[in-house]
Amino acid sequence: MSSAYVRCMANKGFTATITGPAGEGTVDAGEESFEAEAECNADLSVIAMLRGAILRNPDHRDEEEIVAACLVAKKVAPPGYAKRDYEADLQSQKFPYSIDDPGFSACVNDPLGLASGR
């Protein structure tokens, strides 16, 4: 699917590069490539999302639980922070830590450190 996306973008005049294991990529153009990306990415985005989910959580563990544990392990959230806290914070969109902290993004994107190899 990644190769098909790269070919599709090339056929539309854009150079696309796949950069990540779940199909993440870059395109060499700005806004002018948005329409082409939408057309070429329709099938790939669904497959990439599923592949990413499998890579980051292959045992299908409770998502909120593993994110909360990661946040504590990376010292983003305070000790004792748990699934119920994370769920409440998601609901209210008020967090007792900075969501700009790189550890927050790391935990949300790859809470077990499996997809990134960390």
Side-chain angles (χ1 to χ4, degrees):
M1 286 305 299
S2 296
S3 296
Y5 169 75
V6 170
R7 275 192 310 276
C8 179
M9 290 299 288
N11 290 339
K12 294 182 181 301
F14 302 100
T15 301
T17 305
I18 302 302
T19 60
E24 305 89 347
T26 60
V27 178
D28 69 348
E31 290 182 23
E32 63 269 13
S33 69
F34 289 171
E35 187 176 321
E37 285 183 84
E39 290 176 28
C40 294
N41 200 24
D43 293 333
L44 178 63
S45 64
V46 173
I47 292 169
M49 180 189 70
L50 292 171
R51 179 159 169 72
I54 291 167
L55 288 172
R56 68 187 289 285
N57 189 359
D59 295 328
H60 196 60
R61 294 175 50 193
D62 184 284
E63 193 68 26
E64 288 79 13
E65 188 175 297
I66 61 176
V67 171
C70 177
L71 291 169
V72 171
K74 291 194 177 289
K75 299 184 180 355
V76 175
Y81 189 80
K83 172 185 173 174
R84 68 183 176 286
D85 303 308
Y86 183 61
E87 288 174 329
D89 294 341
L90 282 175
Q91 186 73 16
S92 69
Q93 288 296 293
K94 295 179 182 171
F95 300 89
Y97 45 81
S98 172
I99 62 172
D100 294 325
D101 186 307
F104 176 79
S105 292
C107 288
V108 169
N109 294 322
D110 190 13
L112 300 173
L114 298 175
S116 63
R118 290 180 226 141

